[in-house]
Coordinates of all heavy atoms in Angstrom, one line a residue:
G96 N 94.0 84.9 108.6 CA 93.4 83.6 108.6 C 94.5 82.5 108.8 O 95.6 82.6 108.4
A97 N 94.1 81.3 109.4 CA 95.0 80.3 109.7 C 95.7 79.8 108.5 O 96.9 79.5 108.5 CB 94.3 79.2 110.5
V98 N 94.9 79.5 107.5 CA 95.4 78.9 106.3 C 96.4 79.9 105.5 O 97.5 79.4 105.2 CB 94.2 78.5 105.3 CG1 94.8 78.0 104.0 CG2 93.5 77.4 106.0
S99 N 96.0 81.1 105.4 CA 96.9 82.1 104.7 C 98.1 82.3 105.5 O 99.2 82.4 104.9 CB 96.0 83.4 104.6 OG 96.9 84.4 104.0
D100 N 98.0 82.4 106.8 CA 99.2 82.6 107.6 C 100.1 81.5 107.5 O 101.3 81.7 107.5 CB 98.8 82.9 109.1 CG 98.0 84.2 109.4 OD1 98.2 85.1 108.5 OD2 97.5 84.4 110.4
A101 N 99.6 80.3 107.6 CA 100.5 79.1 107.4 C 101.2 79.1 106.1 O 102.4 78.8 106.0 CB 99.7 77.8 107.7
G102 N 100.4 79.4 105.0 CA 101.1 79.5 103.7 C 102.1 80.5 103.6 O 103.2 80.3 103.0
N103 N 101.8 81.7 104.2 CA 102.9 82.8 104.2 C 104.1 82.4 104.9 O 105.2 82.7 104.5 CB 102.2 84.0 104.7 CG 101.4 84.8 103.7 OD1 101.8 84.8 102.5 ND2 100.3 85.4 104.1
L104 N 103.9 81.8 106.1 CA 105.0 81.3 106.9 C 105.9 80.3 106.1 O 107.1 80.5 106.2 CB 104.5 80.7 108.2 CG 105.5 80.2 109.2 CD1 106.3 81.4 109.7 CD2 104.9 79.3 110.3
L105 N 105.3 79.4 105.5 CA 106.1 78.4 104.7 C 106.9 79.0 103.6 O 108.0 78.9 103.3 CB 105.3 77.3 104.2 CG 104.7 76.4 105.3 CD1 103.7 75.4 104.8 CD2 105.8 75.6 106.1
L106 N 106.2 79.9 102.8 CA 106.7 80.5 101.5 C 107.7 81.6 101.8 O 108.7 81.7 101.1 CB 105.6 81.0 100.7 CG 104.6 79.9 100.2 CD1 103.5 80.6 99.3 CD2 105.4 78.8 99.4
H107 N 107.5 82.3 102.9 CA 108.3 83.5 103.2 C 109.3 83.4 104.2 O 110.3 84.1 104.2 CB 107.4 84.8 103.4 CG 106.6 85.1 102.3 ND1 105.2 84.7 102.2 CD2 106.7 85.8 101.2 CE1 104.7 85.2 101.2 NE2 105.5 85.9 100.5
V108 N 109.1 82.5 105.2 CA 110.0 82.4 106.3 C 110.8 81.1 106.3 O 112.0 81.1 106.7 CB 109.2 82.5 107.6 CG1 110.1 82.4 108.9 CG2 108.4 83.8 107.7
V109 N 110.1 80.0 105.9 CA 110.8 78.7 105.9 C 111.5 78.4 104.6 O 112.7 78.0 104.7 CB 109.8 77.6 106.3 CG1 110.5 76.3 106.4 CG2 109.0 77.8 107.6
A110 N 110.8 78.6 103.5 CA 111.4 78.2 102.2 C 112.7 79.0 101.9 O 113.7 78.4 101.4 CB 110.4 78.4 101.2
P111 N 112.7 80.4 102.0 CA 113.9 81.1 101.6 C 115.2 80.6 102.2 O 116.3 80.4 101.6 CB 113.6 82.5 102.0 CG 112.2 82.6 101.8 CD 111.7 81.3 102.4
P112 N 115.3 80.4 103.6 CA 116.6 79.9 104.1 C 116.9 78.5 103.7 O 118.1 78.2 103.5 CB 116.4 80.0 105.6 CG 114.9 80.2 105.9 CD 114.4 80.9 104.6
L113 N 115.9 77.6 103.5 CA 116.2 76.3 103.0 C 116.8 76.4 101.6 O 117.7 75.6 101.3 CB 114.9 75.6 103.0 CG 114.3 74.9 104.4 CD1 113.0 74.3 104.1 CD2 115.4 74.0 105.0
A114 N 116.2 77.2 100.8 CA 116.7 77.3 99.4 C 118.1 78.0 99.3 O 118.9 77.5 98.6 CB 115.7 78.3 98.6
A115 N 118.3 78.9 100.3 CA 119.7 79.5 100.4 C 120.7 78.4 100.8 O 121.8 78.4 100.3 CB 119.8 80.7 101.3

Side-chain angles (χ1 to χ4, degrees):
V98 175
S99 179
D100 287 348
N103 279 324
L104 180 67
L105 291 175
L106 295 178
H107 298 97
V108 180
V109 180
L113 284 176

